[in-house]
Structure formats: structure tokens, C-alpha cells
């Protein structure tokens, strides 16, 4: 009634015109050129930290449930990701690749999803902007993410599709429990879930959410290059760094 997308059936997805040779941009390079980051794969597997020098990737309880969406995103549910941002990483060839269900010329692109609607409503409730229950909205957002991703990317593998959908309630419950233990409370958990749910959006929206919220607790890459930006004066602090707040978040 309010015009919100609240079911996966109402979602807006962009379908590429394969017959007209308009392919998904994920498919423009070799599959070997796409590796999932160690930070993402560890978050999905429920590992608190990648290597000793990294901060915990997501807030966790002592018995955190693994995220079944790894079956959608990754070529291997048990493989290790690649530490991001290095010029040269020994052993990078063995890092797990992106799933071919996403890396193919016809993989659809999510534009407006029920999961993002609910996660935004969860944040609004957590900030006191509405009277909705933040935990209910968080649960709905996670469940919608599992359901939508399974429907769009796992239709040809029914057993895995069912596994992912059935895993949603337990994972959502674990994340709601994390709200009481995460240093940043509900806002941290919600932001982390946005980061995971927005992966197939191409990364841009998830990156914007990370810059706005500060979660998950990622560190700049060792070989990161942050120079050359013309809008440094508009950042807070006015430092040429990808940790500075952008102009619309001040």
C-alpha cells in the first residue's frame, strides 16, 4: 500500500539481452580474473578474522551460524578467498573463484530488492525514525535475500536452492542475537547484512553503504592507492583517504 517492494515477486532485476550480444559485465573477463576476497568468504563462513593482521570482519557470537549464501556467490563453500588490494599475492591462483552462476553472460542484475527494502527499514527503526521492530525488519531482510538469490541464481540446482532457502531462518536468528553483542549494536549488524546482500549489485552500492556506515570493519589494502581525487576538500576529514566521509554523509 505504501509503494514498497516487500516480496521477491515485486523485485526489479535487469535481464541482459544475450541474443543481442548484450552480456552481463561480470562475463567480460575470464573467470580466473574474478576472485572472492578473503574478507567476504570468511564472513560467509563465519570466520571472525582472515589473518592475524585483520580485524574481525563481521560481528559474531561464539557459535555463529555460517551464511549459506556462499553457495550462491562462491565456486566453493569451503575455499579460501584472496586478501584484497595487494599488487602481488603469493598463492593467489588457488583462491576461490566467483560462482559461474554469477559469472556468465546472462546472469541478471538486481536493481531493487525486497531485502534492501527491509534492511533499510531495519536501519530506520534502529535509529528511532519509525516505530517498526528493527529485529523483525532485519529478519525479513535476511530471509528475502536468501530467497531472492536462490531463486535467481540456483534455479538449475534445486537441491542447493532448497538448502539455501531453508538455512535462512537459523541464520537470521543468529544475526538478531548478534545485535546484543556487536560493538555497534543493531546498526553494525544491519550494515554488515547490507554488505553481504548487495554483492551481486556489482559492489557499488555495498561500497557506498560501507563508506556511509563504517561497517563491516574493513581496513584499507596494503597497496591501496588513494591519490588523485579532485574532491578532497569536500571530504571529512579533508584527507585523501578512502576512510573519509563523503559529502552526503556529513
Amino acid at each position: 500500500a505504501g509503494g514498497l517492494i516487500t516480496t521477491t515477486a515485486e523485485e526489479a532485476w535487469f535481464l541482459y539481452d544475450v541474443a543481442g550480444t548484450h552480456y552481463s559485465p561480470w562475463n567480460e573477463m575470464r573467470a580466473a580474473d574474478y576472485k572472492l576476497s578473503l574478507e567476504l568468504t570468511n564472513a560467509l563462513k563465519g570466520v571472525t578474522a582472515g589473518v592475524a593482521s585483520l580485524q574481525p570482519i563481521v560481528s559474531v557470537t561464539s557459535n555463529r551460524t555460517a551464511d549459506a549464501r556462499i553457495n550462491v556467490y562462491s565456486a566453493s563453500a569451503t575455499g579460501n578467498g584472496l586478501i584484497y588490494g595487494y599488487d602481488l599475492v603469493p598463492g593467489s591462483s588457488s583462491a576461490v573463484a566467483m560462482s559461474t552462476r554469477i559469472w556468465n553472460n546472462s546472469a541478471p542484475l538486481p536493481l531493487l530488492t525486497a531485502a534492501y527494502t527491509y534492511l533499510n527499514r531495519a536501519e530506520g527503526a534502529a535509529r528511532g525514525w519509525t516505530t517498526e521492530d528493527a529485529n523483525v525488519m532485519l529478519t525479513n531482510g535476511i530471509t528475502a535475500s536468501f530467497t531472492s538469490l536462490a531463486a535467481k541464481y540456483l534455479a538449475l540446482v534445486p537441491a542447493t536452492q532448497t538448502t539455501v532457502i531453508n538455512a535462512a531462518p537459523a541464520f537470521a536468528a543468529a544475526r538478531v542475537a548478534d545485535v546484543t553483542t556487536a560493538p555497534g549494536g543493531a546498526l553494525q549488524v544491519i550494515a554488515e547484512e547490507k554488505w553481504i546482500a548487495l554483492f551481486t549489485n556489482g559492489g557499488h552500492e555495498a561500497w557506498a553503504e560501507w563508506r556511509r556506515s563504517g561497517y563491516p570493519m574493513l581496513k584499507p589494502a596494503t597497496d591501496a592507492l588513494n591519490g588523485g581525487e579532485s574532491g578532497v576538500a569536500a571530504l571529512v576529514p579533508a584527507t585523501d583517504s578512502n576512510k573519509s566521509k563523503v559529502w552526503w554523509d556529513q
Side-chain angles (χ1 to χ4, degrees):
L4 299 176
I5 293 175
T6 57
T7 68
T8 54
E10 297 170 336
E11 293 180 341
W13 287 68
F14 186 84
L15 304 179
Y16 293 94
D17 180 15
V18 176
T21 66
H22 298 291
Y23 302 143
S24 166
W26 289 118
N27 191 246
E28 291 184 358
M29 299 171 67
R30 302 175 307 146
D33 294 324
Y34 289 108
K35 301 290 187 179
L36 295 188
S37 71
L38 179 69
E39 290 70 20
L40 177 63
T41 54
N42 281 355
L44 293 169
K45 290 190 293 185
V47 178
T48 57
V51 292
S53 61
L54 294 175
Q55 293 292 324
I57 303 307
V58 294
S59 53
V60 294
T61 58
S62 59
N63 58 346
R64 178 169 181 261
T65 304
D67 191 333
R69 285 172 291 187
I70 195 170
N71 293 284
V72 179
Y73 297 159
S74 176
S76 169
T78 58
N80 293 317
L82 182 66
I83 301 175
Y84 68 90
Y86 283 78
D87 287 337
L88 180 63
V89 182
S92 60
S93 60
S94 63
V96 68
M98 181 190 298
S99 169
T100 54
R101 301 181 189 101
I102 297 174
W103 185 86
N104 68 70
N105 60 10
S106 61
L109 174 72
L111 299 176
L112 300 169
T113 65
Y116 200 27
T117 295
Y118 281 118
L119 292 173
N120 282 326
R121 289 167 68 180
E123 180 176 343
R127 291 185 181 278
W129 297 344
T130 72
T131 58
E132 291 186 315
D133 187 316
N135 287 345
V136 171
M137 294 297 105
L138 174 60
T139 298
N140 290 347
I142 292 172
T143 302
S145 176
F146 275 60
T147 302
S148 180
L149 290 170
K152 293 297 182 181
Y153 297 114
L154 298 176
L156 299 180
V157 280
T160 305
Q161 182 183 55
T162 300
T163 295
V164 171
I165 293 174
N166 290 345
F171 181 79
R175 292 304 274 150
V176 169
D178 288 339
V179 167
T180 62
T181 59
L187 293 177
Q188 178 176 351
V189 175
I190 292 165
E192 291 166 349
E193 285 306 309
K194 286 182 179 181
W195 179 64
I196 296 293
L198 289 167
F199 175 75
T200 52
N201 187 259
H204 302 93
E205 195 71 28
W207 177 72
E209 286 283 0
W210 170 76
R211 295 192 72 182
R212 182 180 66 84
S213 69
Y215 297 112
M217 295 183 290
L218 302 173
K219 288 184 175 181
T222 297
D223 295 325
L225 300 176
N226 296 318
E229 295 180 13
S230 61
V232 173
L235 301 177
V236 175
T239 302
D240 196 0
S241 168
N242 58 9
K243 294 184 291 184
S244 296
K245 286 183 175 292
V246 291
W247 64 269
W248 44 258
D249 186 34
Q250 298 175 18

